[in-house]
Amino acid sequence: HHLSAQDVVKVVNLDEFTVNAADDSFDVADFVDRVRKDTTFYKAFLNLKYFPHNVDGAVAVFKKDESERGTMKRRARQHLNVDEMMSTEITFEETNGNIRKRNGEWKYLTAEMYDEVFFPEGPVKVSNRIKSTEQELVSGSRIDKHKAQLKRMMFNPGAEIENVPFIGDKLAIFDDHMVPYYDYSIFNATVNGIDCIAFSCFAKEGMEDETVIHDLTSYFHPDTYEVLRRDYRLAYSTILFNFDITMKVENEQKDGHLLPNSISYDGDWNALFRKPEIISFRLKCTDYNTRAGKYADQ
């Protein structure tokens, strides 16, 4: 393959993209470069972990025949003190079915990740600085590194993750070796009443086995270029494991911060020596306090 990442600009499909008369200054090359370097989506995830808010979530575990194995509903409030210590207060929980062990531990890795990411025990030190979070990938125990890699794969798709067997370099959708496997397009779309510029990346027909990210569509605010919504599907299969994940995340702007307000996940994991996991969850995040922590005096 001789196509380079720079050639994305040349092959991107603009057939559905209409630049109106007032926006004739739109530069395709500049926009693609912004897409490649985007950190706003990952920053929104860090803001989710940082700013106090209410969480309303539901998770369901399924059998192979798609019948429910177990469910859990939860409501909680995340708190943050002036020392940037975060804690979570669970205000409601209803569990039905086979989702925990008798000792209270989770039976499923996805359910454990769901609990740790969205309902973490505290108090724990938090930060919404991207630089500080990068340390999760190079420090901590083996299981901590594994969890950090999974979080990055789920909440920062499109960036290479080192030391993930078989798939780490396949996540970098703009790297020279991955560009030939994708079709790219730019088009207009509306997200919650806001006219956005959308960028899509789809695996070419017949190239699915060469990719991990099968499709990835991001909806950018036309002025700030923040990601207001992202839909994506990640799937891959090896001798050791296979997975198929579909996620949709919607963000909102408040007081200069990008904040997730809706998250949906449908995933099928099957790893060697572990029970297969078919799990879905839905979350609504509301009532953010953006004057907490280091922003208290702003």
Side-chain angles (χ1 to χ4, degrees):
H1 299 126
H2 302 290
L3 188 67
S4 73
Q6 297 298 323
D7 289 321
V8 171
V9 177
K10 301 177 184 177
V11 301
V12 67
N13 176 15
L14 296 172
D15 290 347
E16 299 179 60
F17 183 70
T18 303
V19 180
N20 60 44
D23 194 27
D24 58 5
S25 61
F26 181 83
D27 186 292
V28 175
D30 177 68
F31 178 67
V32 171
D33 191 53
R34 287 176 180 271
V35 173
R36 294 177 58 197
K37 297 176 180 178
D38 174 68
T39 59
T40 66
F41 185 77
Y42 191 42
K43 184 60 179 284
F45 169 63
L46 298 182
N47 287 337
L48 171 75
K49 301 279 289 180
Y50 186 84
F51 290 113
H53 61 276
N54 292 330
V55 189
D56 192 340
V59 59
V61 182
F62 298 93
K63 300 177 183 178
K64 287 186 177 180
D65 62 4
E66 298 186 356
S67 62
E68 285 189 353
R69 184 185 298 274
T71 62
M72 182 181 69
K73 296 180 180 179
R74 259 188 188 172
R75 288 191 292 271
R77 177 69 185 176
Q78 180 176 302
H79 303 279
L80 183 74
N81 66 21
V82 293
D83 296 321
E84 297 186 308
M85 300 296 292
M86 182 269 288
S87 60
T88 303
E89 175 191 5
I90 296 176
T91 58
F92 170 83
E93 179 173 307
E94 180 180 85
T95 303
N96 179 22
N98 187 20
I99 197 169
R100 292 180 185 265
K101 300 177 183 178
R102 290 186 176 181
N103 62 3
E105 294 180 356
W106 298 102
K107 285 190 173 183
Y108 305 94
L109 178 61
T110 308
E112 181 180 345
M113 289 290 297
Y114 167 84
D115 182 58
E116 180 178 298
V117 172
F118 303 108
F119 302 92
E121 295 184 7
V124 294
K125 183 72 173 179
V126 291
S127 170
N128 65 344
R129 290 180 294 119
I130 291 177
K131 184 178 179 179
S132 66
T133 306
E134 296 292 337
Q135 299 303 313
E136 292 183 5
L137 294 176
V138 296
S139 62
S141 66
R142 182 180 63 84
I143 189 64
D144 288 337
K145 292 179 182 178
H146 180 57
K147 289 179 179 179
Q149 290 166 343
L150 287 175
K151 292 176 189 175
R152 286 286 299 277
M153 186 172 71
M154 290 170 61
F155 295 102
N156 194 24
E160 179 177 349
I161 302 177
E162 296 181 358
N163 302 319
V164 180
F166 306 111
I167 69 171
D169 62 342
K170 292 181 181 291
L171 289 164
I173 59 176
F174 289 117
D175 274 13
D176 293 356
H177 68 290
M178 293 304 299
V179 169
Y181 300 125
Y182 287 102
D183 288 323
Y184 304 88
S185 63
I186 299 174
F187 57 95
N188 289 327
T190 302
V191 176
N192 295 325
I194 300 175
D195 293 331
C196 296
I197 305 171
F199 183 91
S200 283
C201 171
F202 288 88
K204 292 180 178 179
E205 187 175 355
M207 297 290 189
E208 293 84 359
D209 291 344
E210 303 296 329
T211 66
V212 174
I213 297 177
H214 284 213
D215 59 72
L216 175 66
T217 303
S218 302
Y219 301 81
F220 292 84
H221 191 285
D223 299 323
T224 65
Y225 290 101
E226 293 175 309
V227 177
L228 298 184
R229 173 176 153 182
R230 178 165 283 171
D231 305 333
Y232 49 106
R233 177 175 173 235
L234 293 76
Y236 201 67
S237 179
T238 72
I239 297 176
L240 298 179
F241 62 85
N242 62 75
F243 59 84
D244 193 332
I245 298 169
T246 299
M247 290 193 69
K248 175 181 175 181
V249 180
E250 289 192 1
N251 298 321
E252 63 178 294
Q253 297 167 314
K254 181 179 179 181
D255 300 328
H257 301 287
L258 193 65
L259 309 164
N261 59 28
S262 175
I263 302 172
S264 66
Y265 168 101
D266 295 281
D268 187 341
W269 288 83
N270 193 352
L272 192 65
F273 305 124
R274 290 191 66 94
K275 184 182 296 186
E277 301 185 7
I278 306 174
I279 294 181
S280 296
F281 65 74
R282 305 287 184 268
L283 288 120
K284 294 293 292 183
C285 302
T286 59
D287 299 321
Y288 280 94
N289 175 11
T290 57
R291 294 293 185 265
K294 64 182 179 181
Y295 303 95
D297 297 327
Q298 296 183 9

